[in-house]
């Protein structure tokens, strides 16, 4: 362990090494992924604090199966869903898997934590805005002001590309090709890179957006974020969620029927549920969505005929300003999908 002097209060040492060196250095995980692990540890420390254990005195011996089970019950009492609780358990098990190799003296304790099973509750239903609701959200910013145009662009891209919010936030100017064929490069989980085609309408919108946001764009600007925050840094998850929330509220005030709970991931989900009806195979869908395995992709394909018809009516597309085109009519995009065979 690098010659460090270890004490019984070694929890802080292992967490620091895990988040600061192992995940970014050996696992090469993205900052967004590391941030999700960090959030899990913050909650874990809060849990121990509620039970009279300060972070400075915490030992890895405290992180046994009994404590982890108590932490999961504490999350449930706070109103967390089963899926969220399972995500926190996965983060802890990943950390324990790392600690097992660094601290074999507690091997049995770690194995007991790793053997804990996830909850099998009914998965939370994904809230989507529906076809008309999505169009209303995208109309709300308006194109008559600079701010409206700036808000429309990051809302439109995930409708077209099915980008995860972390992928959307990470796009740089270098990653965008707005000329024919228009594509965007996305960096997914585990730094996996994929190139996704964009509809002509989306490409045109992004060309106008970039020319306004980055006048006099030069080669030195290519590594700047496509969607910056007011400080010029990459837009964050919270920033995207704020943009969406503002315009979902605006669309509701205009009379649109948009359910509560719509999130940036809703756009990706709605886009994905429209893919099976286009004739795209599971392999095509896997590549477009950036899944590692078609097993994950099958979630979007195994729906009943009636449900499929309902989803297709509400399927997400990349609307032009003021209208709602059918993305399956984009011949270039359909040709790209078929060429993946």
């Amino acid at each position: 362990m690098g010659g460090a002097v270890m004490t019984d209060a070694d929890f802080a040492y292992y967490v620091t090494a895990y988040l600061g060196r192992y995940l970014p250095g050996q696992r090469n995980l993205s900052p967004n992924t590391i941030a999700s692990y960090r959030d899990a540890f913050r909650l874990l420390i809060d849990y121990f604090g509620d039970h009279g254990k300060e972070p400075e005195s915490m030992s890895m011996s405290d992180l046994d199966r009994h404590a982890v089970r108590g932490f999961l019950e504490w999350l449930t009492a706070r109103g967390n869903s089963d899926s969220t609780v399972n995500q926190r358990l996965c983060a802890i098990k990943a950390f324990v898997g790392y600690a097992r190799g660094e601290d074999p003296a507690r091997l049995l304790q770690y194995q007991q934590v790793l053997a804990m099973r996830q909850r099998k509750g009914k998965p939370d239903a994904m809230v989507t805005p529906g076809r008309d609701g999505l169009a209303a959200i995208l109309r709300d910013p308006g194109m008559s002001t600079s701010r409206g145009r700036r808000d429309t662009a990051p809302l439109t891209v995930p409708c077209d590309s099915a980008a995860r919010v972390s992928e959307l936030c990470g796009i740089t100017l270098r990653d965008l090709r707005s000329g024919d064929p228009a594509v965007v490069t996305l960096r997914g989980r585990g730094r996996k890179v994929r190139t996704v085609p964009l509809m002509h309408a989306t490409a045109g919108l992004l060309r106008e957006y970039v020319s306004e946001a980055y006048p006099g764009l030069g080669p030195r600007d290519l590594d700047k974020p496509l969607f910056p925050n007011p400080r010029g840094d990459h837009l964050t998850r919270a920033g995207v969620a704020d943009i969406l929330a503002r315009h979902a509220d605006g669309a509701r005030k205009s009379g649109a029927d948009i359910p509560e709970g719509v999130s940036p991931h809703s756009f990706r989900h709605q886009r994905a549920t429209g893919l099976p009806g286009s004739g795209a195979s599971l392999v095509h869908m896997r590549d477009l969505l950036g899944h590692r395995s078609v097993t994950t992709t099958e979630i979007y394909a195994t729906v009943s005929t009636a449900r499929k018809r309902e989803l297709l009516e509400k399927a997400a597309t990349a609307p032009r300003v003021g209208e709602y085109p059918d993305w399956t009519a984009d011949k270039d995009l359909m040709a790209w999908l078929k060429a993946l065979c």
Side-chain angles (χ1 to χ4, degrees), residues 193-212:
V193 178
R194 71 185 187 280
T195 300
V196 178
L198 296 173
M199 289 182 61
H200 294 305
T202 304
L205 172 65
L206 291 175
R207 280 195 298 271
E208 295 177 9
Y209 161 78
V210 170
S211 65
E212 184 174 31

Side-chain angles (χ1 to χ4, degrees), residues 19-61:
L19 295 176
R21 295 197 299 270
Y22 178 72
L23 292 183
Q26 296 188 38
R27 290 289 308 281
N28 194 32
L29 296 186
S30 70
N32 283 324
T33 302
I34 295 173
S36 70
Y37 281 93
R38 185 183 64 234
D39 291 342
F41 285 113
R42 285 176 175 170
L43 289 168
L44 183 64
I45 290 170
D46 286 345
Y47 164 74
F48 277 109
D50 283 356
H51 291 76
K53 197 78 173 180
E54 296 300 322
E56 297 80 7
S57 63
M58 286 177 60
S59 164
M60 289 298 292
S61 296

